[in-house]
Amino acid sequence: MHLLLGQVLSGKLLFGLPTLSQITGPDSAAIPALPPAPFYEAWLFENPLPLTLAVVGLGIALLMLLFRLGKAKQGGLICAVALMLAAGAFAAGRIVETPRETLAESTGRLVDATAGGDGAVMRELLNEGVTLDGGRYKFIPTITGREPLVTRAEALPRDVVRVVVLETRAGLDGPNVARTQVRLRAFGPGDQLYGHSWWGLDWQQRDGVWTAVGIEPLWIQGG
């Protein structure tokens, strides 16, 4: 992705005054929806805090109710069980990593590696036949193959000093096929703001290892 960040998001290709949509970001049609996570994964593993708080609240409410009914012992037991369940749910969320979380983490690592020209990490995360496709952005070249992509990233001047991941989304289209979307903000020397962009990545899993097989720009500020 840094292949273009150093050019697209710098003054080299930011032509003209951006429109309001280019400043605030793309509309929903520009960023296709991803398949949602199964509800149990989302609630138990990816974001267990709401469920944890709900179980704790329910336990406390039942304790207060039974206490008023003169059944403090039963209320205390129910509250203790609720606290144990809440602790278990929270611990499960911290321990278990879902495929979506794995893909989001890999996307962030790939962004950092590409921005820094780290060929070793890029080779780990990119499929041998990966393709960078510029799509409607004609100034982005099509590059096929991991080595040409890595070589290009390693050789680029580091026009972009810092890249910040603003948002990452992940969705599975099948047990071994997935997509991620990442929104980036790039900064140049002196922390000069270059702009932000959305990128889409296609992933495939083989022998338990996810690698990116496709990269494309979904929206580029000023592009």
Side-chain angles (χ1 to χ4, degrees), residues 1 4 10 22 34 50 63 88-89 94 111 118 130 138 146-147 156 168 176 209:
M1 279 152 281
L4 279 305
S10 70
Q22 291 170 340
L34 297 178
L63 171 62
R94 298 294 298 270
V111 168
D118 189 338
V130 63
K138 302 305 181 183
R146 178 172 57 201
E147 287 309 311
L156 269 177
T168 305
N176 298 308
V209 177

Side-chain angles (χ1 to χ4, degrees), residues 35-158:
F39 76 93
Y40 63 88
E41 283 191 5
W43 283 89
L44 285 177
F45 304 131
E46 296 180 1
N47 187 24
L49 187 58
L51 177 62
T52 300
L53 294 177
V55 173
V56 170
L58 178 62
I60 294 175
L62 289 174
L63 171 62
M64 296 176 63
L65 175 62
L66 291 173
F67 184 81
R68 292 175 181 175
L69 295 176
K71 300 180 180 180
K73 184 176 181 179
Q74 294 92 326
L77 179 61
I78 291 175
C79 186
V81 171
L83 291 176
M84 291 176 60
L85 291 174
F90 187 76
R94 298 294 298 270
I95 295 172
V96 177
E97 184 174 82
T98 67
R100 284 161 42 99
E101 291 174 319
T102 298
L103 289 162
E105 180 184 1
S106 295
T107 299
R109 290 183 62 212
L110 184 56
V111 168
D112 291 339
T114 307
D118 189 338
V121 175
M122 291 182 68
R123 289 183 178 92
E124 173 191 343
L125 297 172
L126 293 175
N127 188 276
E128 185 177 358
V130 63
T131 296
L132 168 66
D133 186 352
R136 67 185 180 91
Y137 296 98
K138 302 305 181 183
F139 49 81
I140 297 180
T142 296
I143 301 175
T144 300
R146 178 172 57 201
E147 287 309 311
L149 208 56
V150 171
T151 300
R152 188 80 171 269
E154 291 177 328
L156 269 177
R158 309 264 74 90

Side-chain angles (χ1 to χ4, degrees), residues 1 179-182 198-203 214-218:
M1 279 152 281
R179 287 175 287 156
T180 60
Q181 298 166 347
V182 59
W198 276 95
W199 297 78
L201 293 88
D202 296 323
W203 297 82
I215 305 172
E216 64 173 331
L218 301 176

Side-chain angles (χ1 to χ4, degrees), residues 17-26 183 185 195-196 219-222:
L17 293 176
T19 64
L20 179 61
S21 65
Q22 291 170 340
I23 294 174
T24 60
R183 182 186 178 196
R185 177 167 290 159
H196 67 281
W219 181 85
I220 296 175
Q221 183 177 5

